[in-house]
Amino acid sequence: MFYIVYIYLFILVVFFIVKYSKSLITDISILTVYNTILNILSFKFAEKVYKIDILDQVYKLIDKIAANYSLLLNGQINTQTISLIYKQIFPSILISISVFISIFYYYVLKILCERLKIKEKEFVPFSHFIIPKEVFYAMVATFLLQFIYKDSELFTIVMNNSLFILSSVIMVQSISLFYFFFARRLKQFILKLLILIVITLLSLSLAEMAILIGMMDIIFDFAKRNKKRVRSGEG
């Protein structure tokens, strides 16, 4: 039953994106919602059919990671505190993973449509993956609201999750910017893919710097990508 629902939803989502959706943000949002729902259904399916509580397993893994991280910090922050922080932002981690998977699905779908010569849908090349300025404003507002309502624990948890999701999206903007400069005019798919992997790994390693560059690019548009006509040949 689960697999039937999965296939049916996937076909429905792909059909809607190709046939009706006209915006990159709408496409990614639809795919993200789809992936998030799929993750939740997977948790329920595993619990019901295989008697495996995935959430409980994840929390146990978080406890182990927190203990190791606490050792690295020489006990400056205790294991319980680190574990609690990770558990509180777990929903945003799950959604952020869904965002990255959705972007991957989007560009796989782009390649498939190009191979099948489906021209009803105009896909945005990754070199021109640009986040609306409203995302930057939302991040700044969320950051400031944390200080205004800092006495509310529930509000702080919601804001921390929101910041994590927004930061993940802005990091993609940064990755796209570097890809624009280093790989967009290359013809070899494998070479472009390798460069993208390297840029992604470096961005994840230097997350704070990547997020800062992404935020600045949203405002200043360093490569002037908003003003350039997107050419279908660019990746």
Side-chain angles (χ1 to χ4, degrees):
M1 181 64 181
F2 172 77
Y3 297 107
I4 295 173
V5 172
Y6 167 74
I7 294 170
Y8 177 76
L9 282 176
F10 184 76
I11 293 172
L12 194 64
V13 166
V14 169
F15 176 78
F16 182 83
I17 288 174
V18 173
K19 194 75 176 176
Y20 298 107
S21 181
K22 304 296 180 184
S23 163
L24 171 64
I25 299 302
T26 303
D27 295 344
I28 301 301
S29 298
I30 292 169
L31 286 167
T32 300
V33 170
Y34 163 76
N35 282 311
T36 303
I37 292 172
L38 186 64
N39 286 331
I40 295 170
L41 290 175
S42 299
F43 289 177
K44 296 294 183 182
F45 180 78
E47 186 176 357
K48 188 174 181 179
V49 177
Y50 299 108
K51 309 301 180 187
I52 299 173
D53 190 337
I54 294 179
L55 199 57
D56 181 61
Q57 296 299 318
V58 169
Y59 281 172
K60 287 179 180 177
L61 179 62
I62 287 174
D63 288 336
K64 290 180 182 178
I65 293 172
N68 292 331
Y69 192 55
S70 181
L71 286 174
L72 286 174
L73 297 174
N74 296 318
Q76 294 178 14
I77 305 176
N78 63 54
T79 301
Q80 289 76 16
T81 302
I82 298 171
S83 180
L84 180 61
I85 292 171
Y86 276 117
K87 287 174 183 177
Q88 287 177 345
I89 65 169
F90 178 69
S92 61
I93 294 173
L94 193 64
I95 294 172
S96 296
I97 291 171
S98 294
V99 170
F100 285 118
I101 293 173
S102 298
I103 293 169
F104 172 76
Y105 281 175
Y106 178 85
Y107 286 103
V108 169
L109 185 59
K110 174 180 181 291
I111 293 170
L112 287 175
C113 286
E114 287 173 355
R115 294 287 186 272
L116 297 172
K117 301 188 184 302
I118 298 173
K119 298 182 179 180
E120 293 181 63
K121 173 74 175 178
E122 184 177 351
F123 289 88
V124 177
F126 187 68
S127 58
H128 287 72
F129 187 99
I130 300 170
I131 305 299
K133 288 186 178 181
E134 286 76 12
V135 174
F136 170 79
Y137 300 144
M139 185 159 181
V140 172
T142 303
F143 182 77
L144 293 175
L145 283 170
Q146 277 191 310
F147 295 99
I148 298 173
Y149 298 99
K150 60 182 179 180
D151 295 330
S152 172
E153 184 180 357
L154 178 60
F155 188 82
T156 301
I157 293 172
V158 172
M159 290 299 100
N160 284 339
N161 278 276
S162 300
L163 272 176
F164 193 94
I165 295 168
L166 291 169
S167 298
S168 300
V169 173
I170 289 173
M171 186 186 291
V172 179
Q173 170 96 8
S174 178
I175 295 169
S176 172
L177 175 66
F178 286 113
Y179 181 83
F180 177 87
F181 285 120
F182 293 115
R184 69 190 178 97
R185 295 193 183 280
L186 296 174
K187 299 298 181 184
Q188 299 88 345
F189 176 77
I190 297 298
L191 187 57
K192 292 167 73 172
L193 182 61
L194 287 173
I195 291 175
L196 179 59
I197 291 171
V198 170
I199 293 171
T200 302
L201 291 175
L202 286 173
S203 296
L204 291 171
S205 302
L206 304 168
E208 292 182 357
M209 185 180 295
I211 291 166
L212 180 61
I213 292 171
M215 291 174 68
M216 292 174 67
D217 185 48
I218 291 173
I219 298 301
F220 300 109
D221 191 14
F222 294 131
K224 305 302 176 190
R225 293 180 290 171
N226 270 322
K227 297 179 181 179
K228 293 181 179 179
R229 188 181 298 276
V230 176
R231 293 182 293 176
S232 58
E234 293 183 347

